[in-house]
Structures are given as C-alpha cells and as structure tokens.
Amino acid sequence: MERSTRSARTETPAIEETGIASMGLHLPPLAMRVEDLATLRGEDPQKYLVGLECNEFSLCPPEFSIVDLAAEAARRALSRWDGELSDIGMIVVGTESAVDMSRPLSAFVAERLGLRGHVRSYEVKHACYGGTLALRQALEWRMSGAARGKAALVVAADVALYAPGDPGEPTQGAGAVAFVVDRPEVASIETISYPYSDPAFDFYRPVGDAYPTVDGKLSLECYRRAAVECFRALCAGEDPEKILQHFEALCFHVPFPKMVRKTVLRLGEAFGWGAERVNELFKDKVEPTMLWNKLSGNAYTASLWISVARALQGRRPGERIAAFSYGSGFGSELLSLVAGPLASEGAWAEDIEKDLAARGRIDAEAYQRLRGLPGLAPAG
Ligand code: COA
C-alpha cells in the first residue's frame, strides 16, 4: 500500500489530513479463564460465561508494569509509521493506572522510547474515557495548527484489577492501544462528536486505595443513560434507522460484554425498536467488535480502542465506525471514524495474534500466588 508523501512540517494540516496514521496494541503475558476463577470463588461458571459474557482476562506478572504495556504498544505504533521520532511533537497517555501522582505516565513511556526535546508530554485522567480524551486532544492540537505539522503519539493503557473476591473480579483485564496521530492512513475521526457528562460516584479509587470502589448498578445505569444521550445527539431528531445505516460497526467501551448488550437493548427502547431489530443490530454491528475484548478483559481506557481496532481491521476506505466512550465519574463521548487506505490491511491485528499466542494461562493456584493470597488446600 502506497502511503501519502510527507510534506514540510511547518504547515497547518488541513482537517481531512489529520487522523490515525498507525496503531499498535499490546496485551500482557498472562491470562486466566473465567471458569477457573469461578471455581476458585465458589461461583457457577455460567454466571461469568453467560451472565457477564466474559471468557478470559489478561494479567500482568509481578515484573511486568503498566510502563511495559504502554511503551510496547507505542513502539509497535511507531514501527508502522513512516515518520521519525523527531517528527513527534506531543506524547499523551490516557490511563487510570498511573504510577505517580506527579510524574505523568507519558514521561515513563517517553524515557523508554528515547523521546525528548520540543515535545509536549502529559497524562490524561477520566476513568475509562481518558484514552479518548487524549486522542481527541491530539487531533485538535494538530487541526488547530499548534502542532506545526508534527505528529502526536497517543497511548491508552490500563491494568484493571479488583480486590480478590470482589464481584468485579471476573471483569478484570489489561491492555494498551497506541496511535500515531498524523495523516489519516488508518482512519480519520470526524471533528464533530457528541459528549455527555454528569458528575456521579459510580466507580472511583480514592488516593491511596489499591482497588476501585464500584457501585455496579449505578455505573450500569450511568453508562446506559450516557449512551442514550450521545446517540440521541448524533441522530438529532432524525430516524435512528437512517442514521445508523451509515455505520458498518458500532463500538462501545467494554467493561464486560454483557454491559454492552444491555446498553444496546436500552438504545433500542429509546429508539422505539422491537426486540428483533435490536438483536439484529447487536449481532451484525456490535458483537463482532468485542472478539478481542473477550480475551483481554476490561482494559479501562484501552477497552473501547481494542474494539475499534478489531472493527477497523479489513474495512474498505470510506466505511464508517461509531465509537462510544464512557468513563465513570462520569463523562462520555460518541465519535465517528472513517476508514482510511491502511485499514483493510489491518496490520495491528498481528499484535493481538502474537500476544495471544505467546501468553501463558494460569490456573487457580498460580492466580492465588500472583495476588499474594494463600495457596489452595491439597485435594482430598
Ligand atoms: N448462570 C447464568 N447467569 C447468571 C448466573 C448463572 N448461574 N448467576 C447470575 N447470572 C447472571 C445474572 O442474572 C446477571 O445477569 P443480568 O444482569 O442480565 O440479570 C449477571 O449474571 C450478573 O449477576 P449479578 O448478580 O448482577 O452480578 P454481581 O452482583 O456479582 O455483579 C458485576 C457483577 C460485574 C455486574 C458488577 O460487579 C459490576 O458491575 N462491576 C463493574 C462495573 C464497571 O466496570 N463499571 C465501571 C465502568 S462502566
């Protein structure tokens, strides 16, 4: 595939020339099947497999950190881009797995990559919405002209862990997605998007707490309300059927896949659709996008973008994808992406294939050890 020629990096890029130029993904080296966790916690495996629609979740070994995860995704995105490190003028990381209250995760990643100099470097936090905000800021920075033709490196990365025995434990996970924001070889993102926020305490982690406090029912309700408001804004009084037919896929933030199914049902109610039409939409345009999420588990800021990466793979130029981002607290935004010339190649899929092939699955005994808990009593 021929890439567009790079021009002098002093001009303000035209709006249509800004977007995702390349993408890289990374999953950590361990995983666990939810059936094994169910047995360990004395739950029916069907609760996790059918009730939550989870399959496996990624885990990090003790020596593997959020910096490893984010830096490798960034390295992979850079390796697929035709620019130089010196062409990067901004690095921004969206995460809720920060390792320091002052030093941004972007500094740790930049250090690994050897990125320094006239570069804006910072971290963005808004629960699972932080990665989307980072990406939007990079796009807007380019389109404003402030970038003076330079590209941005954006990373969404998280390790999602709950307290052992917490009901959220089967929804754990980890993963990172990185983007070079430059010319829209992979996808462009429409300037107009549809945000909606309403302050809430649905999921939060006070300073010093190792694990989040989650009001599961409230967070589900906030998420569904946010989705309805964002999609209503997109449709702007027009027939949702007519608007949604322009999208080949609808991607959502995926805390666990059942949450997305329930949200699509709520959208159907809001649109006045019957169950059959809603199920058809879910099967055709939503469920296929969650294939990788079912193997990564929740990766907070990266979850939506793992789904988008899957949905973009193999798309023809001009095909559209909707992406609904939600972060507890709460903030949300609905974006529209248009596939570029490199989407059909979908080179980033090899990252997932490689990581899945290399990762080791741990059993209940090893999981207990990993979480610093006592081993299991010998059988019999
Ligand atoms: N077989 C099949 N399904 C079963 C089952 C079984 N044996 N036992 C339970 N279920 C189903 C329940 O009916 C329920 O499905 P429904 O919601 O469609 O009715 C589902 O499994 C979950 O059961 P529930 O009792 O509601 O689970 P819980 O109280 O243990 O809560 C979570 C688990 C994951 C839902 C909750 O901890 C949570 O919401 N966590 C995180 C949310 C989050 O990430 N929010 C922030 C970002 S949006």
mmCIF file of all heavy atoms in Angstrom, residues 44 46-47 50-52 128 162 166-168 171 203 214 216-217 219 223 253 255-256 258-259 262 298 326 328, ligand 1:
data_model
loop_
_atom_site.group_PDB
_atom_site.id
_atom_site.type_symbol
_atom_site.label_atom_id
_atom_site.label_comp_id
_atom_site.label_asym_id
_atom_site.label_seq_id
_atom_site.Cartn_x
_atom_site.Cartn_y
_atom_site.Cartn_z
ATOM 1 N N ASP A 44 -20.947 -20.294 40.089
ATOM 2 C CA ASP A 44 -21.290 -21.078 38.899
ATOM 3 C C ASP A 44 -20.558 -20.443 37.701
ATOM 4 O O ASP A 44 -20.757 -19.246 37.426
ATOM 5 C CB ASP A 44 -22.813 -21.015 38.705
ATOM 6 C CG ASP A 44 -23.289 -21.784 37.474
ATOM 7 O OD1 ASP A 44 -22.443 -22.254 36.696
ATOM 8 O OD2 ASP A 44 -24.514 -21.888 37.311
ATOM 9 N N GLN A 46 -21.223 -20.441 34.767
ATOM 10 C CA GLN A 46 -22.183 -19.856 33.821
ATOM 11 C C GLN A 46 -22.486 -18.391 34.156
ATOM 12 O O GLN A 46 -22.881 -17.621 33.303
ATOM 13 C CB GLN A 46 -23.490 -20.670 33.788
ATOM 14 C CG GLN A 46 -23.319 -22.070 33.221
ATOM 15 C CD GLN A 46 -22.661 -22.064 31.850
ATOM 16 O OE1 GLN A 46 -23.092 -21.367 30.944
ATOM 17 N NE2 GLN A 46 -21.581 -22.821 31.708
ATOM 18 N N LYS A 47 -22.331 -18.043 35.437
ATOM 19 C CA LYS A 47 -22.568 -16.636 35.811
ATOM 20 C C LYS A 47 -21.583 -15.733 35.062
ATOM 21 O O LYS A 47 -21.959 -14.681 34.540
ATOM 22 C CB LYS A 47 -22.408 -16.436 37.321
ATOM 23 C CG LYS A 47 -22.520 -14.975 37.720
ATOM 24 C CD LYS A 47 -22.467 -14.725 39.203
ATOM 25 C CE LYS A 47 -22.477 -13.229 39.480
ATOM 26 N NZ LYS A 47 -22.394 -12.889 40.885
ATOM 27 N N VAL A 50 -22.010 -16.714 30.858
ATOM 28 C CA VAL A 50 -23.286 -16.320 30.243
ATOM 29 C C VAL A 50 -23.808 -15.022 30.880
ATOM 30 O O VAL A 50 -24.221 -14.103 30.177
ATOM 31 C CB VAL A 50 -24.331 -17.461 30.393
ATOM 32 C CG1 VAL A 50 -25.670 -17.055 29.781
ATOM 33 C CG2 VAL A 50 -23.805 -18.751 29.765
ATOM 34 N N GLY A 51 -23.753 -14.973 32.211
ATOM 35 C CA GLY A 51 -24.295 -13.803 32.916
ATOM 36 C C GLY A 51 -23.529 -12.525 32.600
ATOM 37 O O GLY A 51 -24.121 -11.449 32.486
ATOM 38 N N LEU A 52 -22.197 -12.623 32.470
ATOM 39 C CA LEU A 52 -21.388 -11.432 32.161
ATOM 40 C C LEU A 52 -20.813 -11.481 30.741
ATOM 41 O O LEU A 52 -20.256 -10.495 30.261
ATOM 42 C CB LEU A 52 -20.224 -11.304 33.159
ATOM 43 C CG LEU A 52 -20.602 -11.221 34.646
ATOM 44 C CD1 LEU A 52 -19.346 -11.184 35.524
ATOM 45 C CD2 LEU A 52 -21.462 -9.994 34.924
ATOM 46 N N CYS A 128 -12.259 5.443 32.333
ATOM 47 C CA CYS A 128 -12.049 4.735 31.057
ATOM 48 C C CYS A 128 -12.165 5.659 29.837
ATOM 49 O O CYS A 128 -11.906 5.245 28.711
ATOM 50 C CB CYS A 128 -13.040 3.582 30.931
ATOM 51 S SG CYS A 128 -12.966 2.471 32.340
ATOM 52 N N TYR A 162 -9.367 -5.919 40.535
ATOM 53 C CA TYR A 162 -10.301 -5.689 41.646
ATOM 54 C C TYR A 162 -9.787 -6.446 42.866
ATOM 55 O O TYR A 162 -8.956 -7.359 42.744
ATOM 56 C CB TYR A 162 -11.705 -6.172 41.265
ATOM 57 C CG TYR A 162 -12.328 -5.306 40.195
ATOM 58 C CD1 TYR A 162 -12.090 -5.549 38.839
ATOM 59 C CD2 TYR A 162 -13.121 -4.219 40.527
ATOM 60 C CE1 TYR A 162 -12.635 -4.743 37.859
ATOM 61 C CE2 TYR A 162 -13.678 -3.391 39.547
ATOM 62 C CZ TYR A 162 -13.432 -3.667 38.217
ATOM 63 O OH TYR A 162 -13.965 -2.852 37.255
ATOM 64 N N ASP A 166 -13.984 -9.637 44.985
ATOM 65 C CA ASP A 166 -14.927 -8.581 44.580
ATOM 66 C C ASP A 166 -15.773 -9.117 43.413
ATOM 67 O O ASP A 166 -15.266 -9.844 42.560
ATOM 68 C CB ASP A 166 -14.117 -7.354 44.123
ATOM 69 C CG ASP A 166 -14.991 -6.155 43.807
ATOM 70 O OD1 ASP A 166 -15.621 -6.139 42.719
ATOM 71 O OD2 ASP A 166 -15.044 -5.238 44.648
ATOM 72 N N PRO A 167 -17.059 -8.737 43.350
ATOM 73 C CA PRO A 167 -17.891 -9.209 42.222
ATOM 74 C C PRO A 167 -17.332 -8.804 40.856
ATOM 75 O O PRO A 167 -17.608 -9.460 39.839
ATOM 76 C CB PRO A 167 -19.249 -8.549 42.462
ATOM 77 C CG PRO A 167 -19.249 -8.062 43.867
ATOM 78 C CD PRO A 167 -17.825 -7.931 44.311
ATOM 79 N N GLY A 168 -16.507 -7.751 40.825
ATOM 80 C CA GLY A 168 -15.927 -7.307 39.552
ATOM 81 C C GLY A 168 -14.721 -8.133 39.108
ATOM 82 O O GLY A 168 -14.208 -7.940 37.994
ATOM 83 N N THR A 171 -14.268 -9.457 35.704
ATOM 84 C CA THR A 171 -14.214 -8.439 34.640
ATOM 85 C C THR A 171 -12.845 -7.747 34.594
ATOM 86 O O THR A 171 -12.701 -6.716 33.943
ATOM 87 C CB THR A 171 -15.330 -7.374 34.805
ATOM 88 O OG1 THR A 171 -15.008 -6.529 35.926
ATOM 89 C CG2 THR A 171 -16.687 -8.001 35.046
ATOM 90 N N PHE A 203 -17.986 4.724 40.154
ATOM 91 C CA PHE A 203 -16.760 3.901 40.167
ATOM 92 C C PHE A 203 -15.638 4.884 40.436
ATOM 93 O O PHE A 203 -15.486 5.861 39.700
ATOM 94 C CB PHE A 203 -16.617 3.240 38.795
ATOM 95 C CG PHE A 203 -15.330 2.485 38.541
ATOM 96 C CD1 PHE A 203 -15.335 1.101 38.385
ATOM 97 C CD2 PHE A 203 -14.111 3.157 38.405
ATOM 98 C CE1 PHE A 203 -14.164 0.410 38.107
ATOM 99 C CE2 PHE A 203 -12.939 2.464 38.146
ATOM 100 C CZ PHE A 203 -12.977 1.084 37.986
ATOM 101 N N VAL A 214 -16.813 0.272 43.524
ATOM 102 C CA VAL A 214 -17.735 0.245 42.390
ATOM 103 C C VAL A 214 -19.162 0.079 42.873
ATOM 104 O O VAL A 214 -19.457 -0.831 43.650
ATOM 105 C CB VAL A 214 -17.417 -0.938 41.428
ATOM 106 C CG1 VAL A 214 -18.248 -0.822 40.156
ATOM 107 C CG2 VAL A 214 -15.948 -1.007 41.097
ATOM 108 N N GLY A 216 -21.881 -1.123 41.075
ATOM 109 C CA GLY A 216 -22.110 -1.772 39.780
ATOM 110 C C GLY A 216 -23.411 -1.341 39.132
ATOM 111 O O GLY A 216 -23.451 -1.004 37.946
ATOM 112 N N LYS A 217 -24.485 -1.315 39.921
ATOM 113 C CA LYS A 217 -25.805 -0.990 39.352
ATOM 114 C C LYS A 217 -25.854 0.465 38.885
ATOM 115 O O LYS A 217 -26.371 0.771 37.811
ATOM 116 C CB LYS A 217 -26.897 -1.252 40.379
ATOM 117 C CG LYS A 217 -27.111 -2.738 40.622
ATOM 118 C CD LYS A 217 -28.495 -3.075 41.083
ATOM 119 C CE LYS A 217 -28.787 -4.577 41.094
ATOM 120 N NZ LYS A 217 -27.692 -5.493 40.871
ATOM 121 N N SER A 219 -23.263 2.297 38.003
ATOM 122 C CA SER A 219 -22.390 2.533 36.841
ATOM 123 C C SER A 219 -23.060 2.025 35.568
ATOM 124 O O SER A 219 -22.968 2.645 34.509
ATOM 125 C CB SER A 219 -20.998 1.942 37.028
ATOM 126 O OG SER A 219 -20.976 0.579 36.800
ATOM 127 N N TYR A 223 -23.925 4.527 32.526
ATOM 128 C CA TYR A 223 -23.393 4.163 31.201
ATOM 129 C C TYR A 223 -24.529 4.140 30.174
ATOM 130 O O TYR A 223 -24.428 4.709 29.079
ATOM 131 C CB TYR A 223 -22.704 2.798 31.333
ATOM 132 C CG TYR A 223 -22.066 2.225 30.087
ATOM 133 C CD1 TYR A 223 -20.683 2.119 29.966
ATOM 134 C CD2 TYR A 223 -22.847 1.732 29.045
ATOM 135 C CE1 TYR A 223 -20.092 1.560 28.847
ATOM 136 C CE2 TYR A 223 -22.270 1.171 27.908
ATOM 137 C CZ TYR A 223 -20.890 1.083 27.819
ATOM 138 O OH TYR A 223 -20.317 0.533 26.709
ATOM 139 N N HIS A 253 -17.298 1.142 24.789
ATOM 140 C CA HIS A 253 -16.406 0.785 25.897
ATOM 141 C C HIS A 253 -16.933 -0.531 26.464
ATOM 142 O O HIS A 253 -18.143 -0.689 26.652
ATOM 143 C CB HIS A 253 -16.420 1.904 26.939
ATOM 144 C CG HIS A 253 -15.813 1.494 28.243
ATOM 145 N ND1 HIS A 253 -14.570 0.897 28.313
ATOM 146 C CD2 HIS A 253 -16.284 1.550 29.516
ATOM 147 C CE1 HIS A 253 -14.302 0.626 29.577
ATOM 148 N NE2 HIS A 253 -15.325 1.001 30.324
ATOM 149 N N PRO A 255 -16.671 -2.739 29.615
ATOM 150 C CA PRO A 255 -16.265 -3.164 30.969
ATOM 151 C C PRO A 255 -16.423 -4.680 31.095
ATOM 152 O O PRO A 255 -15.602 -5.350 31.700
ATOM 153 C CB PRO A 255 -17.250 -2.440 31.888
ATOM 154 C CG PRO A 255 -17.935 -1.425 31.048
ATOM 155 C CD PRO A 255 -17.867 -1.906 29.633
ATOM 156 N N PHE A 256 -17.509 -5.190 30.540
ATOM 157 C CA PHE A 256 -17.713 -6.626 30.304
ATOM 158 C C PHE A 256 -18.787 -6.701 29.227
ATOM 159 O O PHE A 256 -19.661 -5.815 29.135
ATOM 160 C CB PHE A 256 -18.080 -7.394 31.586
ATOM 161 C CG PHE A 256 -19.246 -6.846 32.354
ATOM 162 C CD1 PHE A 256 -20.518 -7.333 32.161
ATOM 163 C CD2 PHE A 256 -19.068 -5.814 33.268
ATOM 164 C CE1 PHE A 256 -21.598 -6.820 32.860
ATOM 165 C CE2 PHE A 256 -20.140 -5.292 33.981
ATOM 166 C CZ PHE A 256 -21.415 -5.792 33.779
ATOM 167 N N LYS A 258 -21.550 -8.187 28.566
ATOM 168 C CA LYS A 258 -22.996 -8.120 28.849
ATOM 169 C C LYS A 258 -23.457 -6.671 29.040
ATOM 170 O O LYS A 258 -24.591 -6.325 28.716
ATOM 171 C CB LYS A 258 -23.284 -8.956 30.102
ATOM 172 C CG LYS A 258 -24.755 -9.047 30.503
ATOM 173 C CD LYS A 258 -25.557 -9.898 29.529
ATOM 174 C CE LYS A 258 -26.873 -10.387 30.082
ATOM 175 N NZ LYS A 258 -26.776 -11.415 31.104
ATOM 176 N N MET A 259 -22.567 -5.824 29.560
ATOM 177 C CA MET A 259 -22.921 -4.412 29.785
ATOM 178 C C MET A 259 -23.228 -3.738 28.445
ATOM 179 O O MET A 259 -24.121 -2.899 28.350
ATOM 180 C CB MET A 259 -21.766 -3.703 30.491
ATOM 181 C CG MET A 259 -22.096 -2.340 31.022
ATOM 182 S SD MET A 259 -21.180 -2.067 32.555
ATOM 183 C CE MET A 259 -21.364 -0.332 32.797
ATOM 184 N N LYS A 262 -26.652 -4.972 27.174
ATOM 185 C CA LYS A 262 -27.748 -4.292 27.873
ATOM 186 C C LYS A 262 -27.917 -2.851 27.391
ATOM 187 O O LYS A 262 -29.013 -2.327 27.344
ATOM 188 C CB LYS A 262 -27.477 -4.287 29.382
ATOM 189 C CG LYS A 262 -27.675 -5.638 30.013
ATOM 190 C CD LYS A 262 -27.329 -5.554 31.476
ATOM 191 C CE LYS A 262 -27.825 -6.789 32.193
ATOM 192 N NZ LYS A 262 -28.316 -6.509 33.510
ATOM 193 N N ASN A 298 -11.397 -6.368 30.723
ATOM 194 C CA ASN A 298 -11.504 -4.908 30.729
ATOM 195 C C ASN A 298 -10.111 -4.282 30.776
ATOM 196 O O ASN A 298 -9.290 -4.651 31.617
ATOM 197 C CB ASN A 298 -12.322 -4.444 31.950
ATOM 198 C CG ASN A 298 -12.703 -2.969 31.879
ATOM 199 O OD1 ASN A 298 -12.356 -2.283 30.924
ATOM 200 N ND2 ASN A 298 -13.405 -2.494 32.884
ATOM 201 N N TYR A 326 -17.001 5.745 27.412
ATOM 202 C CA TYR A 326 -17.602 6.073 28.714
ATOM 203 C C TYR A 326 -16.530 5.978 29.795
ATOM 204 O O TYR A 326 -15.745 5.022 29.815
ATOM 205 C CB TYR A 326 -18.743 5.087 29.048
ATOM 206 C CG TYR A 326 -19.305 5.340 30.433
ATOM 207 C CD1 TYR A 326 -20.314 6.283 30.629
ATOM 208 C CD2 TYR A 326 -18.798 4.686 31.555
ATOM 209 C CE1 TYR A 326 -20.806 6.566 31.902
ATOM 210 C CE2 TYR A 326 -19.276 4.952 32.830
ATOM 211 C CZ TYR A 326 -20.290 5.895 32.997
ATOM 212 O OH TYR A 326 -20.765 6.167 34.250
ATOM 213 N N SER A 328 -16.279 6.460 34.104
ATOM 214 C CA SER A 328 -17.031 6.727 35.324
ATOM 215 C C SER A 328 -16.687 8.096 35.870
ATOM 216 O O SER A 328 -15.610 8.642 35.623
ATOM 217 C CB SER A 328 -16.729 5.642 36.353
ATOM 218 O OG SER A 328 -17.292 4.441 35.895
HETATM 219 N N1 COA B 1 -25.963 -18.577 35.108
HETATM 220 C C1 COA B 1 -26.166 -17.601 34.204
HETATM 221 N N2 COA B 1 -26.291 -16.289 34.529
HETATM 222 C C2 COA B 1 -26.155 -15.953 35.824
HETATM 223 C C3 COA B 1 -25.946 -16.930 36.834
HETATM 224 C C4 COA B 1 -25.841 -18.287 36.422
HETATM 225 N N3 COA B 1 -25.645 -19.265 37.308
HETATM 226 N N4 COA B 1 -25.866 -16.292 38.020
HETATM 227 C C5 COA B 1 -26.025 -14.967 37.767
HETATM 228 N N5 COA B 1 -26.206 -14.785 36.454
HETATM 229 C C6 COA B 1 -26.395 -13.502 35.749
HETATM 230 C C7 COA B 1 -27.338 -12.554 36.446
HETATM 231 O O1 COA B 1 -28.688 -12.855 36.163
HETATM 232 C C8 COA B 1 -26.885 -11.229 35.872
HETATM 233 O O2 COA B 1 -27.388 -11.078 34.574
HETATM 234 P P1 COA B 1 -28.404 -9.890 34.242
HETATM 235 O O3 COA B 1 -27.669 -8.655 34.670
HETATM 236 O O4 COA B 1 -28.597 -9.971 32.790
HETATM 237 O O5 COA B 1 -29.609 -10.146 35.073
HETATM 238 C C9 COA B 1 -25.373 -11.419 35.716
HETATM 239 O O6 COA B 1 -25.151 -12.831 35.764
HETATM 240 C C10 COA B 1 -24.557 -10.764 36.810
HETATM 241 O O7 COA B 1 -25.070 -11.162 38.019
HETATM 242 P P2 COA B 1 -25.173 -10.157 39.246
HETATM 243 O O8 COA B 1 -25.741 -10.895 40.400
HETATM 244 O O9 COA B 1 -25.835 -8.897 38.788
HETATM 245 O O10 COA B 1 -23.632 -9.907 39.480
HETATM 246 P P3 COA B 1 -22.888 -9.224 40.662
HETATM 247 O O11 COA B 1 -23.792 -8.558 41.633
HETATM 248 O O12 COA B 1 -21.946 -10.257 41.154
HETATM 249 O O13 COA B 1 -22.099 -8.032 39.926
HETATM 250 C C11 COA B 1 -20.821 -7.101 38.109
HETATM 251 C C12 COA B 1 -21.074 -8.307 38.998
HETATM 252 C C13 COA B 1 -19.621 -7.406 37.216
HETATM 253 C C14 COA B 1 -22.054 -6.849 37.255
HETATM 254 C C15 COA B 1 -20.531 -5.853 38.993
HETATM 255 O O14 COA B 1 -19.509 -6.119 39.885
HETATM 256 C C16 COA B 1 -20.133 -4.672 38.168
HETATM 257 O O15 COA B 1 -20.993 -4.035 37.611
HETATM 258 N N6 COA B 1 -18.815 -4.385 38.082
HETATM 259 C C17 COA B 1 -18.107 -3.424 37.335
HETATM 260 C C18 COA B 1 -18.868 -2.416 36.574
HETATM 261 C C19 COA B 1 -17.906 -1.479 35.924
HETATM 262 O O16 COA B 1 -16.874 -1.887 35.445
HETATM 263 N N7 COA B 1 -18.256 -0.188 35.940
HETATM 264 C C20 COA B 1 -17.357 0.849 35.558
HETATM 265 C C21 COA B 1 -17.182 1.129 34.171
HETATM 266 S S1 COA B 1 -18.574 1.259 33.219
#
